Amino acid sequence: PKCLGHQNGIGTLLSVMLSLNAIVIAFSPFQNALSASRRAGSSVMIDYARLLPPPSDLAVESGLVSLAKELNPLVGYWDPLNLVGVEVGSNSAEQSVGWLRHSELKHGRVSMAGFVGYIVHENGIHWPFKLANEFDYASVDGLPAAALWDAIPTAAKWQIIGAIGLLELWSEWVPALQADGLPGHYMRGGKPGHFPSLNFKKLDGSKWFSLPNLYDPFGFYTTGWKMSPEQKNRLLNVEINNGRLAMIGLAGFLAEANIQGSVPLLTPLIKHLN
């Protein structure tokens, strides 16, 4: 299929994503050492960890250092903004690590959905029916994906904001998290990134109704194919890496759509705002 509404295809998109990833590495502290090694014709492996300040005790104790090595053995633990140790609100630095991890997972998931949605719209793929009485695809046909929010009706915007707000409240509600077997909030010993099951009860505690679990709506992993702890851990790491790349990719789309030429590789591929 045509990618991003133009003729270059999926291969071009993959090239763009790899280029964006290369840009991130190019501005990292590892690039200078790598370039020097290439100039010298060295065949010795570079110990990248020695190029960075040692991680804090909190980063080690909270498992961030070991997680970083699992996610990317080449780069390892890298915290250029020194976020680990920042206290969020009235919470301790240890509790704030949970907030940072949960925030990254959430932003990565939203970016993955946004990245796919951007490509879907730019290719003209849409629902075959009206989304509202006075709103159908014809009203946004030809618009860049970055212009869709301004184009949808105000009532639709409030519906989206309201739905997201309800999901946010549910994800932070400790009784819902404890009902899934967690000790509590992700900043109080819970699991970062976990979204509680949508099981609702009456005031007397009896079951009222349930909605499909957003993590596994079709039961593939919970009732069908049972994953081992190692498989779950590998897929969770894949999710984090994909989310990080999606954040970079979506930011690149939005930057190029707003400022033509800001991401040269994307300039001929996507539609631009007037």
Side-chain angles (χ1 to χ4, degrees):
K2 292 182 180 179
C3 176
L4 298 176
H6 292 270
Q7 61 185 0
N8 294 286
I10 297 297
T12 302
L13 175 62
L14 294 176
S15 298
V16 170
M17 295 307 300
L18 291 173
S19 299
L20 290 171
N21 194 44
I23 291 172
V24 175
I25 297 297
F27 286 97
S28 73
F30 317 117
Q31 183 61 26
N32 291 335
L34 184 58
S35 299
S37 175
R38 287 172 175 168
R39 287 194 300 269
S42 174
S43 61
V44 179
M45 293 295 293
I46 300 174
D47 186 0
Y48 293 100
R50 296 181 61 184
L51 303 175
L52 300 173
S56 63
D57 292 340
L58 176 58
V60 176
E61 295 169 0
S62 62
L64 292 177
V65 175
S66 59
L67 175 63
K69 292 180 179 179
E70 292 179 11
L71 293 172
N72 192 325
L74 175 64
V75 176
Y77 179 76
W78 186 35
D79 182 19
L81 299 180
N82 293 319
L83 293 177
V84 176
V86 172
E87 297 180 357
V88 178
S90 58
N91 299 284
S92 67
E94 291 80 3
Q95 294 167 341
S96 298
V97 169
W99 184 89
L100 291 169
R101 289 207 58 206
H102 189 81
S103 178
E104 180 185 32
L105 283 163
K106 185 185 298 182
H107 282 80
R109 289 166 180 171
V110 172
S111 295
M112 284 187 282
F115 184 84
V116 173
Y118 205 109
I119 296 174
V120 166
H121 174 76
E122 293 274 325
N123 279 277
I125 303 171
H126 59 88
W127 297 109
F129 49 81
K130 288 186 176 182
L131 298 180
N133 291 334
E134 299 179 358
F135 180 77
D136 59 13
Y137 182 74
S139 61
V140 296
D141 187 16
L143 289 178
L148 291 184
W149 178 257
D150 291 333
I152 64 176
T154 301
K157 294 177 182 177
W158 283 114
Q159 290 175 19
I160 294 171
I161 293 172
I164 293 174
L166 290 174
L167 292 174
E168 282 289 296
L169 290 174
W170 183 253
S171 69
E172 299 283 335
W173 197 38
V174 173
L177 294 167
Q178 292 175 336
D180 279 359
L182 298 179
H185 194 267
Y186 53 82
M187 296 177 70
R188 301 291 187 277
K191 182 180 180 181
H194 180 82
F195 191 90
S197 302
L198 297 169
N199 299 321
F200 301 94
K201 298 181 179 180
K202 299 179 181 179
L203 294 177
D204 60 4
S206 60
K207 182 178 178 180
W208 186 21
F209 70 94
S210 299
L211 295 175
N213 190 320
L214 294 182
Y215 161 68
D216 185 18
F218 302 106
F220 290 146
Y221 304 112
T222 53
T223 59
W225 174 44
K226 298 292 184 68
M227 293 187 295
S228 66
E230 293 76 16
Q231 289 173 316
K232 289 182 179 179
N233 184 67
R234 188 187 70 81
L235 291 179
L236 286 172
N237 288 345
V238 169
E239 179 188 29
I240 295 174
N241 279 330
N242 288 344
R244 290 174 176 177
L245 189 56
M247 285 188 276
I248 297 172
L250 185 58
F253 283 164
L254 295 175
E256 177 59 35
N258 283 273
I259 306 173
Q260 187 169 352
S262 58
V263 186
L265 291 173
L266 291 176
T267 301
L269 298 178
I270 66 174
K271 300 170 185 175
H272 296 85
L273 294 169
N274 293 329

